[in-house]
Amino acid sequence: MLSKLRNVAGALSLTAGLLTASGAYLSTAQMADAAGIIKLKDNGAASVQRVQLGLNKSIVVDLPRNAHDLLVASPKVADAVIRSQRRIYVFGKGVGETNIFVFDKAGQPILSMNLVVEREISDVKARLKRFIPGSDINVELINDNIVLTGTVQTPQDSARAAALAEAFV
């Protein structure tokens, strides 16, 4: 007998996109290698990027021109450092959104990044699959809340799924 799973509220947020090995979520429009390095191309204007990054994860951005100055709008959400003239490191420090701007020596913008830092759910999905075999549970993060939907075989499996999800909150 299948049992419907109830929603579980917690403290996580929605993520979408391609998960790289470093935990960064990148839109399909972004050029990133498997290690999570975004390589920007020089089109003569500032590159505008939207990047979703996992909490406590980092990405590397290779710039098309030498960077001279860097600004992070909300240091509680993220930190960024110029590692070399053409490479910056971005770190997700807290759940939320911020902007990161990189300028060249003439003060011209090289990069305008809209960064969303969110918690990851891959561990929740893996553990639900491992500890509740035969279930069909979807895990979503909405407004810093974890939501479970789908079906399980017994009410006990539903309770177990809720307890596993709550352990991540």
Side-chain angles (χ1 to χ4, degrees), residues 31-151:
M31 302 303 287
D33 66 14
I37 298 176
I38 300 172
K39 296 183 181 195
L40 302 179
K41 296 181 181 179
D42 196 358
N43 61 4
S47 178
V48 177
Q49 302 287 317
R50 177 170 172 78
V51 177
Q52 291 179 289
L53 182 63
L55 181 63
N56 298 319
K57 300 294 181 175
S58 62
I59 55 171
V60 175
V61 180
D62 284 344
L63 302 169
R65 302 190 307 272
N66 291 349
H68 180 71
D69 197 13
L70 179 136
L71 170 70
V72 177
S74 181
K76 289 184 179 181
V77 174
D79 193 11
V81 296
I82 299 173
R83 182 65 180 153
S84 70
Q85 289 184 330
R86 292 201 177 203
R87 178 169 276 186
I88 65 169
Y89 294 172
V90 179
F91 310 94
K93 292 172 48 178
V95 172
E97 295 186 34
T98 192
N99 300 97
I100 297 174
F101 301 97
V102 180
F103 302 93
D104 64 16
K105 193 169 186 168
Q108 297 299 310
I110 299 171
L111 171 66
S112 173
M113 180 185 293
N114 300 317
L115 182 69
V116 179
V117 177
E118 300 172 323
R119 299 179 197 269
E120 294 184 41
I121 60 170
S122 57
D123 285 344
V124 177
K125 290 179 181 179
R127 288 189 185 189
L128 288 171
K129 188 174 193 116
R130 178 178 168 205
F131 292 115
I132 309 174
S135 64
D136 182 21
I137 302 172
N138 299 309
V139 181
E140 290 184 75
L141 300 165
I142 301 173
N143 295 328
D144 217 22
N145 293 297
I146 188 168
V147 178
L148 302 177
T149 57
T151 56

